[in-house]
Amino acid sequence: MSRFFSARYADLTPYTPGEQPQNRRYIKLNTNESPFPPSPGVAAAVEAESRRLALYSDPECVKLRKKMADVYGLGPDQIVMTNGSDEVLNFAFMAFADEEHPLAFADVTYGFYPVFAQINRIPYTEIPLKSDFCLDPADYIGLNKTVVIANPNAPTGLALPLGDIERIVKSNPDNVVIVDEAYVDFGGESAVTLLNRYENLLVTGTFSKSRSMAGARLGFGFGSKKLIADLNTLRYSTNPYNINRLTDAAGQAALAENDYYMANCRTIIENRAWTTEQLRSLGFRVLDSQTNFVFAESPDIAGRELYSKLKDAGILVRHFDKERLQNFNRITIGTKEQMQTLIDTIASITGGDKP
Ligand code: PMP
């Protein structure tokens, strides 16, 4: 730390992104990216748009929001587009949480929540998941705090039924409930259908997972017009051109080819079922995932050791150094061939017979 670094941030522990190694080609199953490329129209749209890079991008993303509105059945003024969903989450924390409206989220969930809380100096409570890693909705009923729930959750992959989300939203009418749906396209139930009934609901999502665009950085927030206007106040106070021209064009092209992405999601769901079955037959405990990853614990080998051995063998998975998660690894679901290689490699590491 330099002597110039503001004391405001001296205690900040930054988020640790998953490894993005540049030195070697790995089978990359560590950051929940899609194994499939963007749809064909995306490359063409980006190429065409690149000729207009001398001009600033549209700060309102008018065309993109119109297409989002059509796909999701909302009004364009119920939508804000952001630089990944990380950005909308940060804006939402800034906008809707403070000393009077402290944050509450699970003890095992997306690692950026405590970081955004810290950088914005918002007090927060981490509510323990049950011993089976399920979230108990009762813990959030009438909590009177700004609630954040990743649904489905990461890194567990477990999803809450929509009825539970609705009860939580309904019982906290004076606080915003943020539902982070980064993984919803892989089997979760979206809370978008509740938006017109609850003014305190904000749903966030991303093009990073189901739409194969993690590198383009495109996320979004859905809410009442007023919530979205508040988020725009913060967006225009930090970075009005948060969506660059290439990403805007890529997003529009992706929405025009939505069927391609939904078909890819079905393939991931099939590969997830296969991988879960194979890991279980190797003795692993695998949580029931509704996402594009599985969270798995081996009875034979510590989580970090399995992570290291897989890395030596050219496969990257994600291990979290958190007490409760010691023996687990989070494994992104890739293509069938990638998953076959993963299973064969794990079988040879643990000495199990290939299933
Ligand atoms: N929410 C959850 C639960 C996530 O796992 C991630 C991915 N790291 C994000 C939000 C943010 O993803 P992005 O900024 O790429 O949209």
Side-chain angles (χ1 to χ4, degrees), residues 238-315:
T238 45
N239 186 11
Y241 304 109
N242 60 336
I243 308 300
N244 70 68
R245 277 188 172 274
L246 303 183
T247 296
D248 190 336
Q252 291 183 52
L255 289 170
E257 295 174 319
N258 215 29
D259 292 350
Y260 164 84
Y261 297 101
M262 295 310 125
N264 286 347
C265 287
R266 288 194 290 277
T267 305
I268 295 293
I269 291 169
E270 277 167 27
N271 295 353
R272 178 180 75 206
W274 183 84
T275 308
T276 302
E277 196 186 292
Q278 300 287 308
L279 286 171
R280 283 184 182 152
S281 64
L282 284 169
F284 278 73
R285 170 185 175 199
V286 186
L287 304 192
D288 272 324
S289 171
Q290 302 293 324
T291 61
N292 66 338
F293 57 85
V294 288
F295 201 47
E297 176 184 44
S298 165
D300 307 319
I301 179 167
R304 174 145 290 281
E305 195 185 342
L306 178 61
Y307 154 84
S308 295
K309 292 199 163 149
L310 284 171
K311 187 171 178 181
D312 291 345
I315 302 176

Side-chain angles (χ1 to χ4, degrees), residues 204-223:
T204 66
T206 182
F207 279 56
S208 296
K209 319 291 176 186
S210 57
R211 290 199 179 93
S212 304
M213 276 176 48
R217 312 304 302 128
L218 188 59
F220 50 88
F222 297 148

Side-chain angles (χ1 to χ4, degrees), residues 338-352:
Q338 289 177 322
M339 301 330 281
Q340 182 73 62
T341 308
L342 170 88
I343 295 297
D344 293 349
T345 312
I346 291 181
S348 65
I349 290 171
T350 58

